[in-house]
Amino acid sequence: YESLANGYYTNQPLLQNCANVLNVWFDDLDFSYKDKDGHTHTGLQPEQAKEIVEFIRANKNKQLAIVHCAAGVSRSGSVAQFIADMWHIPYDKFTRMNPSISVKAHFTQTLNEALNKIT
């Protein structure tokens, strides 16, 4: 590991963007704010949502999608649910395969808005 950015190592193989890997960094927030130390914390932005939607479309012929976030709950859950909806995976099958995730309405709304602007 050569460098640490935002508390995460940045040169791990899966952290490098390529045709079938996309890294999008955002906080588990509905709105942005600055903390007492002056650091800005930002939720999913429209440009990031567009990037995610375009990536999903570019990889629509794949049979597997792996979505990961630092906590593995609402950010990854929201994107995974969005992928399942785009790929027409039945909701009951998706929830059986992913029982511990939750979906955040703000992330879903931002992703759907990006999809609607692209289509």
Side-chain angles (χ1 to χ4, degrees), residues 69-93:
C69 74
V73 182
S74 62
R75 284 171 286 188
S76 59
S78 299
V79 173
Q81 177 64 58
F82 183 76
I83 292 169
D85 291 345
M86 281 187 72
W87 289 355
H88 306 292
I89 296 171
Y91 185 74
D92 61 327
K93 180 179 179 182

Side-chain angles (χ1 to χ4, degrees), residues 1-19:
Y1 303 117
E2 294 174 5
S3 61
L4 189 67
N6 298 324
Y8 299 96
Y9 290 102
T10 58
N11 71 337
Q12 295 177 16
L14 291 179
L15 293 180
Q16 304 302 316
N17 285 343
C18 60

Side-chain angles (χ1 to χ4, degrees), residues 12-61:
Q12 295 177 16
L14 291 179
L15 293 180
Q16 304 302 316
N17 285 343
C18 60
N20 64 345
V21 174
L22 174 68
N23 291 282
V24 181
W25 298 88
F26 58 94
D27 294 304
D28 194 354
L29 301 169
D30 292 343
F31 55 90
S32 299
Y33 75 95
K34 280 192 179 192
D35 65 20
K36 61 182 173 118
D37 297 322
H39 298 110
T40 300
H41 300 271
T42 306
L44 179 63
Q45 298 299 300
E47 313 81 50
Q48 294 172 310
K50 180 181 179 214
E51 186 178 17
I52 291 168
V53 169
E54 289 172 344
F55 180 80
I56 294 166
R57 283 188 159 175
N59 287 282
K60 68 181 175 189
N61 295 325

